[in-house]
Each structure stands twice: as structure tokens, then as C-alpha cells.
């Protein structure tokens, strides 16, 4: 082959190699910019569903750190008042102040918080019925207003903290009027605020005792 032909061949090879390199680069998308760490969805705080007809929420923040429901009692209970009511509009909070004050259970029964590694049980509270007649009145000073008190029926769901397994469920009537420990809420959309009678701590204790005190 002549020198001229050799030069022409080399030039042709260079053109082909360059074209292949450009095609190879263009065949791959540009790498994404910024943080490429996949997002992890937030877990629900507790196993308490929004309705007693729904399954427990699992996994959840409590189940990630909770102790097994086993060993000597009492088995510490975390009382969740994040749950929504059923049968009435609005939402009932159990009491003002820190949630470790709720419910009124014996010393040693309550977990200090939902993030306590000692928690073994989670108690969820729902309102399943509100009476139609005013039975009392609560007066509040700041701001100044009054709120009617109504009869109420509650449903409690008790879950194993570690597994979200339902241990038991039961209903109790509200029998106690304590204006300081009740947060007024709207009975119906657009209506004024009302107070629901609360469950007595002694009655709640007796329903929970078979599941909290015995060794497992």
C-alpha cells in the first residue's frame, strides 16, 4: 500500500473510533445531581389506627424500641391519645399537660414515654358515642367561656408494643367530670366546644389488671 493510502486508512480508523466514543458517552444518562440517598418514609408514632375497624399500624416508632411483652409484671403501658374518635366529629384529647399523666393508672404501670425502651403495651382510646343531653357545665377562665358536659362511651384497644398484636379491646362509659383534666372539643363541625365525661381510673385499672400485672 502506498504512503498516501496508509494515511487515508489511519484517518478513517480515527474517525470511526471517535464516533464510537461519542456514541458510548451519549448512550448513558448524566448522573443525578445532589443527594441520591433514597428517602425513608416516616413511621407512625404508635400502633393505634385511626379507627377501631382498621388494623394496627406496624411497624411504628414504638415497636422499633419496645421491650417484649414477657417476664415479670407489671408490664409498662404507654397511653396514646393520638387516636381519632368514632361516631362523632372532632377529636378528644385525654387531658391537658404531659401525656405521661394519662391514663390514671397505678404507680409502676405507665411507661415514661413512647420512646422508653421499657414500654411493653400500648393503650389506645377512642370515643364511640356521645350523649345528646347536657349533664353538667365546665367553666374556663382563660379565655373565659363555658362548655357543656355530655355522657360518653369509650373503646380501648390494648396492643403489644413490640409486635402490634392486639391483646384485648373493651368499652367503658365515661363517669367522671373533671374540667381541668378534659380538653374541650367540637362535638360537630361548626358547633361550639363540649366536654365529654371521662373514664374513671379505677374502672380502667381493673379492666387492664389481668394483662398488666401477671408474669408471662
Amino acid at each position: 500500500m502506498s504512503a498516501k493510502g496508509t494515511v487515508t486508512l489511519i484517518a478513517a480508523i480515527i474517525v470511526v473510533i471517535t464516533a464510537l466514543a461519542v456514541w458510548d458517552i451519549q448512550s448513558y444518562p448524566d448522573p443525578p445531581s445532589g443527594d441520591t440517598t433514597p428517602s425513608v418514609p416516616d413511621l407512625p408514632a404508635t400502633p393505634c389506627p385511626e379507627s377501631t375497624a382498621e388494623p394496627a399500624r406496624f411497624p411504628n416508632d414504638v415497636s422499633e424500641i419496645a421491650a417484649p411483652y414477657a417476664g415479670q409484671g407489671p408490664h409498662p403501658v404507654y397511653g396514646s391519645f393520638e387516636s381519632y374518635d368514632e361516631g362523632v366529629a372532632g377529636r378528644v384529647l385525654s387531658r391537658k399537660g404531659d401525656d405521661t399523666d394519662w391514663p390514671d393508672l397505678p404507680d409502676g404501670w405507665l411507661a415514661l414515654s413512647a420512646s422508653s425502651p421499657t414500654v411493653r403495651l400500648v393503650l389506645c382510646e377512642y370515643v364511640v358515642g356521645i350523649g345528646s343531653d347536657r349533664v353538667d357545665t365546665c367553666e374556663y377562665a382563660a379565655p373565659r367561656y363555658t362548655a357543656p358536659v355530655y355522657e360518653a362511651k369509650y373503646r380501648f384497644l390494648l396492643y403489644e408494643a413490640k409486635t402490634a398484636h392486639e391483646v384485648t379491646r373493651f368499652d367503658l362509659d365515661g363517669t367522671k367530670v373533671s374540667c381541668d383534666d378534659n380538653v374541650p372539643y367540637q362535638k360537630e363541625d361548626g358547633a361550639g366546644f363540649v366536654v365529654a365525661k371521662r373514664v374513671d381510673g379505677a374502672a380502667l385499672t381493673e379492666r387492664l389488671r389481668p394483662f398488666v400485672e401477671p408474669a408471662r
Side-chain angles (χ1 to χ4, degrees):
M1 178 181 296
S2 65
K4 184 178 180 180
T6 301
V7 171
T8 302
L9 178 60
I10 292 174
I13 292 173
I14 292 174
V15 170
V16 171
I17 292 174
T18 302
L20 288 173
V22 171
W23 176 86
D24 185 60
I25 292 172
Q26 292 178 345
S27 65
Y28 292 94
D30 293 334
S33 59
D35 185 9
T36 58
T37 304
S39 61
V40 178
D42 293 335
L43 293 176
T46 72
C48 300
E50 292 189 0
S51 163
T52 59
E54 298 176 8
R57 299 185 294 181
F58 184 83
N60 55 73
D61 287 341
V62 178
S63 66
E64 294 292 290
I65 52 90
Y69 181 35
Q72 295 294 319
H75 305 284
V77 181
Y78 174 70
S80 171
F81 59 1
E82 70 163 356
S83 301
Y84 292 87
D85 61 277
E86 297 182 350
V88 292
R91 186 176 178 186
V92 176
L93 299 182
S94 297
R95 64 169 64 232
K96 297 176 182 176
D98 190 271
D99 56 4
T100 57
D101 291 337
W102 179 89
D104 296 321
L105 299 178
D107 292 342
W109 280 30
L110 281 175
L112 295 179
S113 71
S115 59
S116 171
T118 64
V119 63
R120 298 180 187 175
L121 295 166
V122 176
L123 182 64
C124 312
E125 177 194 71
Y126 302 81
V127 175
V128 293
I130 293 289
S132 57
D133 297 326
R134 178 198 297 245
V135 296
D136 208 330
T137 301
C138 283
E139 296 184 359
Y140 297 91
R144 175 171 289 279
Y145 67 95
T146 62
V149 179
Y150 288 84
E151 303 280 359
K153 181 181 288 292
Y154 295 83
R155 181 161 297 154
F156 293 90
L157 274 60
L158 185 66
Y159 292 102
E160 289 186 18
K162 190 69 175 176
T163 64
H165 170 73
E166 184 178 319
V167 177
T168 188
R169 64 172 60 199
F170 54 87
D171 292 352
L172 287 173
D173 290 330
T175 58
K176 184 174 70 172
V177 178
S178 178
C179 298
D180 290 339
D181 288 344
N182 285 268
V183 178
Y185 75 103
Q186 287 184 293
K187 183 182 178 186
E188 298 175 356
D189 291 337
F193 286 90
V194 305
V195 169
K197 273 191 171 183
R198 297 291 303 136
V199 168
D200 179 68
L204 183 59
T205 295
E206 291 310 305
R207 296 300 297 265
L208 291 174
R209 191 180 301 280
F211 309 101
V212 175
E213 286 194 334
R216 289 177 53 85

